[in-house]
């Protein structure tokens, strides 16, 4: 809001000049502009008037988001913006059903054209739309590039300067949806408040630019766009070359090309826009024929004596002109070299000299272009017209958009500046009248006594220009129509005679000595509301005349009449104002030329505007708005006010800005204490709320979790009961064939056995443990046991190395010989057999020599007992193919003998005694008994008694 921005007023100024403390100071006014311009705040209000400073750069303040921000919002609730003016006008039209107009003024380069574009874009985006309405919106928007191409030009001050005044009416439809349905292919009802049509009025096209441009300036854009962007076939048909230097009307300003203008791209935009607006191919062809004909006219050259008859030297141009304009070439040549004189009722053709012929050529060029522009505007109006028989003015509301020159003061001011400044005088007169009227109506509505405001009434200047018979325009028309040798000088003399005594008129002849030094003898001075302007009369009569038609010599009068009609249109509408300011002549972003801006502030009448607005009260707001913002400053209104507002009025008025500033500063201080209180209250409230939420959440979670636990427990108990029930029933029926009653029990028994088997499988082939299977799995258990054993054997065998295999083979032979035959055999099983018990060095060398090459398979030390007397003798048993006496390592040695002799079944094992042959047919007996230690001796009975420990593994 405007009030909220006051706290930063030292840095960014005030959003409304009405709030300037020193409102009469031009310095304070410009300083406020500077502060805001420095912060890229290009918009500022004077009451309801918007002042806009051209930033000469793109600002991110024209997006759709910004449009929505201003849509339907009170004028002062958001920062100043062109969208606020557009939206306020639309809402006033919609709610009050009164036509509105937005008047945009400012000098060339101040941004008037851009401002009008922004208004149209705002309505195009924010207003209701349907298929037809969208077409109208597109045509309204696309009319801009077309009119800019034909009516704008590059000037010293602006690369896209409008060289004509434009007033556009935008029609909005407010018929009720239920009365007349809209013809939409989707069957949608009519959108109330949608733009449905438009109409454009153009004023004072600068036709002189067609034939002459000042240095550094260009002709109208369309000529350069056609030459740069036109297709080759099109240029060939029009007889044109792609070189602007070839055409006299395009080189007068000596800058046919400008780096900041892309004529080729602009041509594409214009061609597309013409199509959108509804121009047919034939319309475009006729239009371009005429544009090309103006260029050819400029290249028409004359020969002949300076004072004698002239003739045309460029026949090629005449051929092109005749074809493009559809006229007879001979007639055209005569028209360009002769003038028609009517004498005594007879028409005579009088030849023209070179200078006169050139003037006639230029006059024809200007007339052709001027009438073409009028035709173009009418064509656009025809496409914008809302063609609906059921539509009438009662159902329509209008927003007018006026984009016209601001007050102009140049080094050399001519007829065009005279007309422009006259127009601005009329607009200023209208502005002051409507502003004062609006102020007076508001004061009376609020019950405040209206005090008349003293201001400069520029009616005296308007009368000086437009008064019948005595005004400057009437004198100009009279001088143009007067027979004889009328000239610009005689016109100036006539002015001195007629209005020489007027307080706002001065000439060189009438001025004092000091003023004469700064005035030319061919100039007159008008003291306008915005300042003094000197006008050079040279060309006034020619520009007021239409040289082609003798009966049209009142161009200024036509403009005056058009202006009078425009004033009637504007007076019938509720106005909004946009004043555009150019910050510098170099078109540089960020540069603020104070001298130039002071000049524009003066000529736009902004200080006068501010003075009128501040004549009464600087600030006014509705009570509701004011109360809502400042109620915290008063104990009676804070935090709530239940009483009524003031009876009979709706607004509060504050005369001096310092009162508002003090109120706003007090609010800023109050905000801190309020913020602290609100923070503490909010923290307490938020913590309590958080606690309640957490408590409620905890209760819900607890209840939910208890429910889950209870349901889980109930489910577990149900499942347990069912399991027990099935076990009991299965146990009862366990001996019966498989059936529904015992299948669960049997499956569980099987499952339990298999899981038990899984946990206790044998780890080695020697482990014979195996769980006892249930009856139903006895056969399966046996199969599994065998498979398990086979698997372990397979794994065991797979991991046996050759040495171990040989060991096992010997153990197998020993098993076949001794198992279940010798008591201490089991104790020998874990002990490994060795390859030999004697090393080579332990054997008698003579024995080894006697053996020769025969391989010794096993050697072991033994004790030999003689057959007679059983005397013990230590010997070595060498295993070849002979017998052996065995004492120690019995099983190992006998196994080796059996293997070597391959007579495993020839060994006789006797656990008690052994008989053997002695010499001469006698037998000896060896008795074996068990004892605690090994004893070998001859017994009394003559037997050899061997006592051996039972567990010894011999």
């Amino acid at each position: 809001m405007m009030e909220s921005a006051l706290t930063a007023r030292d840095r960014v100024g005030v959003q409304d000049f009405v709030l300037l403390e020193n409102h009469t100071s031009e310095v304070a006014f410009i300083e406020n502009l500077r502060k805001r311009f420095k912060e890229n705040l290009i918009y500022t209000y004077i009451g309801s008037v918007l002042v806009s400073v051209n930033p000469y750069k793109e600002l991110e303040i024209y997006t759709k988001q910004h449009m929505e921000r201003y849509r339907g919002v009170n004028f002062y609730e958001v920062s100043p913006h062109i969208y606020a003016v557009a939206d306020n006008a639309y809402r006033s039209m919609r709610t009050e059903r009164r036509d509105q107009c937005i008047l945009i003024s400012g000098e060339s380069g101040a941004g008037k054209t851009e401002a009008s574009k922004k208004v149209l874009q705002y309505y195009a985006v924010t207003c209701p739309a349907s298929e037809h309405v969208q077409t109208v919106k597109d045509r309204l928007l696309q009319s801009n590039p077309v009119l800019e191409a034909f009516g704008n030009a590059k000037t010293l001050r602006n690369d896209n300067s409008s060289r004509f005044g434009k007033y556009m009416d935008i029609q909005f439809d407010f018929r009720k949806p239920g009365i007349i349905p809209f013809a939409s292919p989707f069957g949608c009802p009519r959108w109330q408040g949608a733009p449905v049509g438009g109409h454009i009025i153009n004023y004072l096209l600068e036709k002189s630019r067609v034939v002459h441009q000042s240095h550094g300036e260009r002709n109208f854009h369309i000529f350069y766009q056609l030459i740069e962007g036109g297709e080759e076939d099109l240029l060939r048909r029009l007889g044109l070359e792609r070189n602007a230097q070839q055409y006299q009307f395009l080189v007068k300003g000596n800058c046919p090309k400008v780096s900041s203008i892309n004529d080729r791209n602009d041509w594409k935009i214009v061609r597309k826009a013409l199509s959108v607006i509804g121009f047919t191919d034939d319309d475009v062809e006729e239009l371009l024929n005429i544009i090309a004909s103006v260029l050819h006219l400029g290249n028409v050259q004359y020969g002949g004596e300076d004072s004698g008859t002239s003739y045309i030297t460029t026949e090629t141009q005449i051929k092109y002109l005749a074809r493009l304009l559809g006229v007879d070439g001979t007639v055209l040549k005569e028209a360009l070299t002769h003038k028609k004189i009517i004498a005594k009722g007879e028409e005579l053709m009088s030849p023209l000299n070179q200078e006169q012929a050139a003037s006639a050529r230029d006059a024809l060029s200007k007339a052709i272009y001027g009438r073409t522009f009028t035709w173009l505007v009418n064509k656009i109006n025809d496409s914008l017209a809302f063609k609906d028989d059921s539509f009438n003015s009662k159902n329509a509301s209008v927003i007018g958009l006026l984009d016209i020159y601001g007050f102009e003061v140049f080094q050399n001011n001519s007829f065009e500046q005279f007309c422009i400044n006259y127009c601005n005088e009329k607009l200023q007169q209208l502005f002051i009248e409507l502003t004062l009227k609006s102020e007076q109506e508001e004061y009376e509505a609020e019950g405040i006594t209206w005090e008349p405001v003293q201001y400069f009434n520029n009616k005296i200047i308007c009368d000086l220009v437009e008064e019948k018979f005595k005004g400057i325009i009437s004198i100009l028309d009279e001088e143009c129509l007067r027979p004889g040798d009328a000239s610009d000088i005689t016109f100036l003399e006539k002015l001195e005679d007629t209005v020489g005594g007027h307080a706002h008129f001065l000439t060189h002849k009438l001025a004092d000595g000091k003023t004469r030094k700064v005035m030319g003898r061919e100039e007159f001075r008008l003291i306008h509301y915005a300042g003094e302007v000197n006008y050079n009369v040279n060309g006034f009569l020619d520009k007021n005349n239409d040289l082609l038609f003798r009966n049209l010599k009142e161009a200024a009068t036509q403009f005056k009449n058009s202006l009078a009609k425009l004033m009637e249109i504007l007076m019938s509408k509720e106005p909004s104002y946009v004043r555009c300011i150019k910050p510098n002549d170099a078109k540089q972003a960020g540069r603020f030329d104070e001298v130039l801006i002071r000049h524009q502030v003066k000529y736009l009448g902004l200080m006068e505007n501010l003075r009128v607005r501040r004549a009464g009260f600087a600030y006014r707001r509705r009570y509701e708005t004011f109360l809502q913002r400042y109620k915290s400053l008063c104990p009676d209104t804070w935090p709530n006010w239940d009483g009524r507002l003031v009876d009979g009025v709706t607004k509060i008025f504050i005369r001096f800005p310092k009162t508002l500033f003090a109120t706003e500063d007090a609010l800023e201080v109050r905000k801190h204490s309020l913020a602290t209180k609100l923070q503490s209250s909010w923290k307490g409230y938020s913590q309590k709320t958080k606690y309640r939420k957490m408590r409620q959440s905890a209760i819900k979670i607890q209840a939910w979790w208890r429910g889950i636990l209870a349901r889980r427990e109930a489910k577990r108990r149900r499942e347990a009961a069912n399991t027990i029930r099935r076990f009991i029933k299965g146990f009862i029926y366990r001996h019966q064939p498989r059936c529904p009653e015992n299948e669960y029990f049997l499956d569980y028994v099987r499952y339990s056995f298999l899981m038990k088997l899984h946990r206790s499988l044998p780890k080695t082939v020697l482990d014979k443990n195996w769980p006892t299977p249930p009856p139903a799995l006895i056969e399966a258990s046996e199969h599994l046991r065998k498979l398990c054993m086979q698997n372990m054997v397979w794994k065991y065998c797979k991991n046996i190395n050759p040495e171990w295999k040989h060991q096992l083979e010997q153990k197998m032979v020993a098993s076949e010989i001794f198992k279940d035959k010798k008591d201490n055999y089991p104790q020998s099983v874990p002990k490994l057999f060795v390859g030999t018990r004697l090393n080579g060095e332990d054997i008698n060398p003579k024995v080894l020599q006697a053996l020769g090459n025969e391989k010794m398979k096993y050697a072991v030390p033994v004790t030999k007992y003689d057959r007679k007397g059983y005397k013990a003798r230590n010997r070595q048993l060498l295993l070849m193919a002979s017998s052996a006496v065995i004492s120690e390592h019995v099983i190992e040695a006998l196994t080796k003998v059996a293997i070597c002799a391959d007579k495993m079944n020839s060994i006789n094992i006797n656990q008690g005694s052994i008989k053997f042959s002695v010499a001469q047919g006698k037998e000896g007996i060896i008795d074996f008994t068990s004892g605690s230690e090994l004893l070998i001796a001859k017994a009394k009975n003559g037997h050899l008694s061997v006592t051996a420990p039972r567990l010894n593994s011999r």
Side-chain angles (χ1 to χ4, degrees), residues 79 99 105 353 434 530 635 929:
S79 56
D99 291 348
S105 61
N353 60 31
L434 292 179
T929 59

Side-chain angles (χ1 to χ4, degrees), residues 689-705:
T689 303
K690 183 178 180 181
Y691 168 74
R692 292 192 188 100
K693 288 183 178 179
M694 290 176 65
R695 185 171 180 272
Q696 292 172 358
S697 299
I699 292 172
K700 289 181 179 179
I701 292 173
Q702 288 172 352
W704 173 76
W705 182 244

Side-chain angles (χ1 to χ4, degrees), residues 529-597:
Y529 77 92
E532 300 173 348
V533 182
N534 295 341
Y535 298 99
N536 193 310
V537 296
N538 286 330
F540 260 63
L541 264 63
D542 286 345
K543 292 174 181 178
N544 192 50
N545 280 334
D546 186 330
L547 298 182
L548 298 179
F549 302 96
R550 298 289 296 175
N551 60 335
L552 294 178
K553 292 191 174 184
E554 301 172 348
T557 299
Q558 293 175 25
F559 179 66
K560 181 184 76 172
N561 294 336
S562 298
L563 194 56
K565 292 180 180 178
L566 176 62
M567 293 301 111
E568 290 179 11
I569 292 172
L570 298 180
M571 285 291 289
S572 67
K573 294 175 171 56
E574 188 74 26
S576 300
Y577 299 92
V578 179
R579 305 298 204 201
C580 298
I581 292 178
K582 178 171 63 174
N584 60 79
D585 277 328
K587 293 171 277 192
Q588 291 181 359
R591 180 177 169 185
F592 191 89
D593 189 334
E594 186 173 330
V595 174
L596 178 63
I597 290 175

Side-chain angles (χ1 to χ4, degrees), residues 761-762 764-768 770 782-798:
L761 282 173
T764 66
V765 294
L766 300 178
D767 186 359
K768 304 302 180 181
W770 192 262
E782 185 60 26
H783 282 299
L784 290 173
R785 188 187 66 77
K786 290 180 179 179
L787 288 173
C788 180
M789 185 58 65
Q790 289 175 1
N791 184 53
M792 287 191 296
V793 169
W794 177 81
K795 286 184 178 179
Y796 185 80
C797 293
K798 183 179 179 182

